[in-house]
Amino acid sequence: MPNIIIFGETGTGKSSLINLIANDKIAKTSSGAAGCTLDAQSYLVPIGTRKFRLWDTVGLNEPSLGVNGYLVAIEKAYKLICDLEREGGITLLMFCMRGGRITAAAQSNYRLFFDILCNKEVPIALVITNLENEPSMEGWWEANKKQFDRFGMHSVGHACITAHPGLGGVHSDKYLESRQRMHNLLLSQTGRQAWKPEKTDWFTRLSGQLRNWIFRRSPGSFRPGPEELARKLRNCGFSKYEAQYVARKIVEVKNCSDDSLDTSSSQSDE
């Protein structure tokens, strides 16, 4: 069964997108920023004769995390990786963002999931939401697609949509059109083998690269070492020996070679 990771900043409409695809209110929508980075909830959604597992994840609302945010994130990451391994790996990433300017947080979310979580091994599809007031939703893409290339945010497909029918169904036509676009996108992009690395190696690489990415942005800040990492790993269910071993491996992970992971120096349309 294809596993689709839906990610993006809080408020971009990820839960509404899942409800649109499912044609049912199965995902709880909220305007708040509840949840921790890499926290996830999965939903089983049929499309025609096929079934998909959609993962509603919590991304970054700021370009950086800090020490406490990092330690919580790796705990959430381990649970997500365990769940994904059990379900067969990742088939497609789906980056959800509101129509508008590409912010630093949007760039950071793209890097977090594509570069760090998936090691650039999983294709990304872009979903642009909140386009109900555009004369042509697809026209928005034609006018803005060069901006994604400018920031190195490449994709294998896109859908320009609205995830809300509007008060009194004023946007119902575009809403139904959006559901069909999402179904077509999913069906066209998921006929490939899922990416499924070994669980501990996957987690170690992710935690190490995330650690390097966060703390190279603040060279003078405290960087958690093996002992603190081991204590957090014990919370994930690692034995004392395993926690110490994996913590050392996390610290030994080299910096990502791709400088595009650091969006602090990149241009933003904010």
Side-chain angles (χ1 to χ4, degrees), residues 159-198:
C160 294
I161 68 161
T162 178
H164 300 281
L167 187 63
V170 65
H171 302 304
S172 58
D173 288 347
K174 288 184 176 179
Y175 185 74
L176 293 174
E177 177 187 344
S178 296
R179 177 177 296 124
Q180 189 60 55
R181 287 186 179 188
M182 290 307 308
H183 287 185
N184 291 343
L185 178 62
L186 286 168
L187 291 168
S188 68
Q189 296 295 335
T190 54
R192 54 170 58 87
Q193 186 174 357
W195 181 67
K196 184 184 175 184
E198 193 278 326

Side-chain angles (χ1 to χ4, degrees), residues 90-150:
I90 306 177
T91 309
L92 180 72
L93 291 169
M94 189 171 285
F95 180 31
C96 183
M97 64 170 283
R98 296 171 64 95
R101 295 173 294 183
I102 300 175
T103 64
Q107 296 173 64
S108 290
N109 274 287
Y110 184 98
R111 303 304 170 196
L112 171 62
F113 283 84
F114 180 59
D115 294 66
I116 296 180
L117 176 65
C118 295
N119 201 30
K120 302 181 181 179
E121 296 286 348
V122 179
I124 286 188
L126 301 177
V127 179
I128 316 301
T129 65
N130 292 79
L131 297 180
E132 58 271 8
N133 293 317
E134 294 288 326
S136 165
M137 293 189 292
E138 184 61 23
W140 185 94
W141 176 256
E142 294 302 319
N144 291 276
K145 61 183 179 180
K146 289 183 179 179
Q147 293 299 315
F148 291 90
D149 292 335
R150 174 188 172 195

